[in-house]
Amino acid sequence: MSTDDRGGFLARLADNTEELQLDIAAELGEHALEVLSDREDWPNELRLLVMDMAGALRDVRRVAISRGHRLPPTVPPECEAGDEGPQLPAASFG
């Protein structure tokens, strides 16, 4: 099965999974604000929150990497036709 077909089963499954992961990350962000405003249960609650947020950050990173791999490669216009990219004047280096 290929994920190249944007309307294909795997692409839709990946999109749904990524959407869920991003939603969880957003909910954790909201929960973090609640936990930080209530200092009563900080030690245990903060530990759990940080563990959950670390997992969400890992998932969001996977989404970003996955999306990046699915984007077609692009070459900045200034790098086409043998150009080496933007040039800085020698004065920029001291």
Side-chain angles (χ1 to χ4, degrees), residues 10 13 22 72 75:
L10 284 181
L13 181 62
L22 293 172
V75 177

Side-chain angles (χ1 to χ4, degrees), residues 26-87:
E27 289 174 17
L28 279 169
E30 295 288 324
H31 182 62
L33 295 175
E34 293 171 13
V35 169
L36 292 173
S37 67
D38 179 17
R39 294 178 179 228
E40 202 171 293
D41 295 323
W42 262 36
N44 292 329
E45 193 69 25
L46 275 179
R47 186 177 142 280
L48 292 173
L49 176 64
V50 168
M51 288 174 54
D52 289 344
M53 290 186 83
L57 181 59
R58 180 196 62 231
D59 292 342
V60 168
R61 182 176 179 273
R62 283 186 192 152
V63 169
I65 290 170
S66 173
R67 290 289 176 184
H69 286 286
R70 287 193 238 165
L71 295 174
T74 59
V75 177
E78 66 272 4
C79 294
E80 292 178 350
D83 188 4
E84 293 181 18
Q87 303 293 312

Side-chain angles (χ1 to χ4, degrees), residues 1-5 8-11:
M1 296 185 122
S2 172
T3 58
D4 291 341
D5 178 13
F9 174 76
L10 284 181

